[in-house]
Amino acid sequence: MTKLSPSARLALLYFLFSSLWIIAGDRIVFAFSSDPAVIAQIQSVKGLFFVIACTGGIYLFSHKYYLDINRSLQKSDLLLAKYQALNEASKEGIVDYDLKNGVATINEQLKHFTGTSQSVIPAFGDFHDQLIHPEDRERISQSFEETVACGSPFWQAEYRCLWHDGTYHDVIHKGSIIRDHASGEPVSFIGAIQDVTELRDAQARLYEHQLKARLQLGRMIIKAQEEERNRWATELHDNVCQMLTVVKLYLAEIANGRALPPSLAQQPQALVEKALNEIRHLSAAIRPPEFETLTLSEALDLLISSIKRVKPYEFHLNLAKLDEEQLSVQHKLMVYRVVQEAVSNILKYANPQNIYLTISSSENLVTLEIEDDGAGFDPNQLAGGIGLRNIQGRLQVFSGFLRIDSAPGKGCKLYGQFSLT
């Protein structure tokens, strides 16, 4: 049911009140007296009271609507003041575009963006099309038309827009499409244009930096792998091949019919046994533990046991604060290789009495501390050996880092950390 307007309400109330006053008043007058003179006098008084009552009623009714209208105007003024303040303070260009007549009102920021001095832009559609980069123009026009056609109340697009400085800037244009309640036809569009050129440039620089970092990391890993292969090749050449060469010489003597002296008779067998042990050691070092069946703690215990069978160093392994359930197989293998590499360096260069291994986890981070009481070195004079580069490269794969704390005669402490996410 259509709601009555204030004027219709006032007219209806006046009609009902006056009709009731006339009908009820006449009955009362004729019931009170039949004297024409008295009736005339009462009718005059009744008319006066009718005027007074109507005046008071109209005043009260109109005063109520006056207060309502005044409050509405105050709210409208407040909203208008806020809208103007937002326009002045906003870093976005704001446009109120009347889709019926093509006229748009823009704020100071959009005037600055476009280099125009006018706040009201006639034929805004044509004006706006000329600002859009030619390569983006058809796409943006089609996008807006499709949004209007499908009845969506919101539209957003990103494109290149010509600014007052004569260059194209990346902008995000978004807003609301206001429609007529009765027909559903679009009547206006209120939108905001935000300059995101600096943000897009920063994103491009960040992506380029990340790409370079990934390429550099990839090169480091490849280089470390090649150096590691060269190291194993050197181990095979300098140890196993040398021993087998000596064995070959012994066998050549025997093949020529010359008997070996008793003191050398057992040498070929001993050298072959030693070469086999070297190959087993290298094979065990290269082959990764099977973490599907082994825990990290068990793998590290086996590594330490294999070392202590050859060299009796004191190892102190502390995994009390490590939650292995947080670690994937790749994480465990990386930790194992880092410990293996670090211990190999310690045994080769430091000549320590004790080696301390502490691995802990907290939230999404894993921390490794590998310390020895050996010879130590000056980190500032360290050119970066193969072992340390391998450790650093492995940690960086998981967004980690390596820190070295050492001094000549004071041992060395490697502090590494990496992320589980």
Side-chain angles (χ1 to χ4, degrees), residues 48-309:
L48 180 61
F49 273 105
F50 176 77
V51 172
I52 295 172
C54 286
T55 303
I58 291 172
Y59 170 77
L60 294 175
F61 189 82
S62 60
H63 184 67
K64 176 183 178 302
Y65 276 98
Y66 167 77
L67 294 177
D68 291 343
I69 292 172
N70 191 46
R71 281 193 292 268
S72 297
L73 288 174
Q74 289 177 350
K75 290 181 180 179
S76 298
D77 291 340
L78 181 60
L79 288 174
L80 181 60
K82 289 182 177 179
Y83 177 74
Q84 291 174 343
L86 178 63
N87 279 344
E88 294 175 359
S90 177
K91 293 183 179 180
E92 298 178 339
I94 298 177
V95 56
D96 184 355
Y97 181 27
D98 190 325
L99 298 176
K100 292 294 185 181
N101 58 30
V103 177
T105 302
I106 63 176
N107 70 338
E108 292 297 323
Q109 189 65 33
L110 189 53
K111 287 167 61 178
H112 171 70
F113 285 163
T114 59
T116 182
S117 59
Q118 298 178 341
S119 297
V120 179
I121 309 295
F124 179 76
D126 296 335
F127 173 80
H128 181 241
D129 284 346
Q130 295 302 315
L131 297 176
I132 302 175
H133 193 283
E135 295 178 1
D136 298 334
R137 196 170 296 159
E138 183 177 352
R139 173 177 61 87
I140 297 305
S141 177
Q142 183 178 355
S143 171
F144 187 78
E145 290 174 0
E146 289 176 353
T147 303
V148 171
C150 73
S152 174
F154 302 107
W155 176 78
Q156 178 173 326
E158 184 170 343
Y159 55 90
R160 289 163 291 178
C161 190
L162 183 63
W163 254 208
H164 68 278
D165 58 2
T167 62
Y168 283 97
H169 289 230
D170 294 321
V171 301
I172 293 178
H173 194 169
K174 55 186 174 181
S176 297
I177 301 171
I178 300 174
R179 301 175 183 273
D180 183 84
H181 291 292
S183 64
E185 292 294 320
V187 293
S188 66
F189 173 78
I190 298 178
I193 299 177
Q194 181 182 6
D195 188 347
V196 294
T197 303
E198 293 184 2
L199 175 62
R200 292 293 178 264
D201 290 344
Q203 289 175 336
R205 289 194 298 271
L206 176 61
Y207 176 77
E208 184 179 356
H209 175 74
Q210 290 174 337
L211 183 60
K212 288 181 178 178
R214 290 193 185 100
L215 291 174
Q216 183 179 5
L217 179 58
R219 287 194 292 266
M220 287 177 60
I221 293 173
I222 293 172
K223 184 178 180 181
Q225 289 174 340
E226 291 300 320
E227 289 175 340
E228 193 170 8
R229 291 189 182 99
N230 289 334
R231 186 173 65 177
W232 298 130
T234 302
E235 292 284 344
L236 287 170
H237 179 271
D238 292 347
N239 293 329
V240 177
C241 287
Q242 294 294 334
M243 286 183 282
L244 293 178
T245 299
V246 174
V247 171
K248 181 180 178 181
L249 293 175
Y250 282 130
L251 293 176
E253 289 292 317
I254 296 173
N256 291 329
R258 289 189 289 272
L260 295 176
S263 59
L264 299 178
Q266 301 299 322
Q267 285 296 320
Q269 183 178 354
L271 287 172
V272 170
E273 185 67 30
K274 189 174 181 181
L276 287 173
N277 288 333
E278 284 289 334
I279 292 173
R280 290 192 190 101
H281 176 72
L282 289 173
S283 176
I286 295 171
R287 185 178 64 249
E290 296 181 358
F291 285 111
E292 288 79 3
T293 57
L294 282 177
T295 65
L296 178 61
S297 176
E298 292 169 343
L300 292 176
D301 284 336
L302 290 174
L303 175 64
I304 292 171
S305 298
S306 66
I307 295 172
K308 292 181 73 173
R309 282 197 295 268

Side-chain angles (χ1 to χ4, degrees), residues 336-350:
Y336 179 86
R337 289 303 191 198
V338 166
V339 172
Q340 186 182 41
E341 193 73 57
V343 171
S344 176
N345 282 348
I346 291 170
L347 300 182
K348 190 178 294 184
Y349 303 112

